[in-house]
Amino acid sequence: MDEFSSRLYAELKSYAPVALPALFIYVLESDASLKLWHAVQRTPYLGAEGILNEPNVEDVARIAPTHKAVKKTVRRERFGNIAVSLILFSIVLVEQYNSVMNRLDEEGEDEDSVVYYNAYFGSFGRAEYYYAVTLFLPAFFLIARAIKLLSGMGTRIAFRDSKGAPFMVIANTNNVALGFILLNLAVSALLAAGALWVRNSVCIAVFYASIVHFWASNNIVTKTASFKQRITGELFMTLCLASLFGMRDVSNDEELTRFPFFNMFTGVNWGVLIISSIWSIAPLSFMSLCYRFDYDIARPNVPPIDLPVVEGAIPGAPQVRGTVVEYALCSTSARPRFAKPYFHAALGGYLAGNMALAMLTVAGYIECSYEWTSMYLVVVALPTMTAPVLAVAAARGEVNRLWAYQEEWTRAQKTRTVSNVDAGSGDLNRDLEAKQLLLFANEKTGCV
């Protein structure tokens, strides 16, 4: 094996703590996105059951508490996700601010010139010690959350709000033994300590997978999804990021291969790893769309499994129906088997993007450690994913079908007019808009 091949192998091996966890989450979430898509299609509007064809003031007043409870649930779920995101970003920004101020005060002293030593875990640089302390609770929460959902101790339930837009609620699975819950908490604490304090590569991979899973599991399409939209958006994103990464310092004509905002130090650069993980959603959005397109070609208009419908998951609105979305690891139903040429093409393009990134790094064109791979892959992997998908479409004669494929995740609102409504104080000549007065046309599937 020559020197280039040896360095290329070492570079690819260094990507393992990031690339393998991301690939694992991509496969699981792509399968879950198909179930979520069919769950959203069959999920009714809130408060739809029992509404008459000619709604009146009493009907609207009766479902008003339900709408209020649903809005409160949507706000609570969004606030929780935003709070976790802000905590992660705040930890990173505080460390970066302290690093900049320390460099200014110490006149260029290196980040690792201040070392903390622990008898059990060895030496820590200033930034490493900061992240080991501040990230432990977020790491514990994210790992426990991922294990809970992927193992079946918790589940996601799809609903629609009053505007027809889908949203999800995480609920605990019934009849989960207390021992499994305590075991999850203990394992999550050990994995968080192993990633931040022991700096074990397997624990680091698990923590990174939990971060990617947090972004991915909360990434739900609220309007439309199409290849036309994805490909044009990815092209624009790639051009913007390529121009950003290709900037040159006019003072010395040296390429800026990293963002100067993030200082580099020995060990795990958690700040870069967290910020870079956000970009992992871009390849996943394209892969999951390819997965759903494969199913649409193989089995059009056929639900993948009999998704269970539940009630009572929203506090204050026990009659609201939602559809359970299970992961493949904990699903008790038989998984549908179908050909996935487009998904496999996108998956191969993602692996080719990792290979291209490693080759560019070894050849000296860029400087990329494994913490930066998700961010660089937005520039490198998205074109390598799109090209083979388009090639497969051309070989199968399905370019037009692929380009025209579109998913409508938000149902069009239906309005009905009620005139001369008796409100108790006289006739009121006004129109009432009943946004969620949707009747079930098919009781078996819940589709309208």
Side-chain angles (χ1 to χ4, degrees), residues 18 91-93 95-96 99 103 111-112 126-132 135 195-196 199 204 207-208 211 258-277 369-373 375:
V18 171
I91 290 174
V92 175
L93 292 176
E95 190 279 325
Q96 292 299 319
S99 298
R103 284 198 296 269
E111 178 68 20
D112 278 345
R126 180 194 291 120
E128 276 190 297
Y129 189 79
Y130 167 83
Y131 283 125
L135 273 181
L196 297 169
R199 291 159 288 185
I204 292 172
F207 180 29
Y208 182 78
I211 300 176
R258 304 182 198 267
F259 289 116
F261 175 71
F262 294 103
N263 56 293
M264 297 303 297
F265 52 91
T266 57
V268 182
N269 194 334
W270 290 108
V272 172
L273 200 62
I274 291 172
I275 299 299
S276 179
S277 67
S369 61
Y370 73 91
E371 296 99 335
W372 292 84
T373 53
M375 191 176 296

Side-chain angles (χ1 to χ4, degrees), residues 48-56 59 62 414-418 432 434 437-441:
E49 58 276 5
I51 300 302
L52 302 176
N53 290 330
E54 294 295 334
N56 52 38
D59 292 325
R62 177 166 58 83
K414 293 187 177 183
T415 59
R416 293 171 182 173
T417 301
V418 181
L432 296 178
L437 308 182
L438 183 63
L439 300 173
F440 293 121

Side-chain angles (χ1 to χ4, degrees), residues 143-165:
I143 294 174
R145 178 184 181 274
I147 294 176
K148 173 183 175 180
L149 290 176
L150 296 178
S151 64
M153 289 186 287
T155 186
R156 297 184 297 173
I157 305 176
F159 294 93
R160 285 185 183 275
D161 61 16
S162 59
K163 298 180 180 179

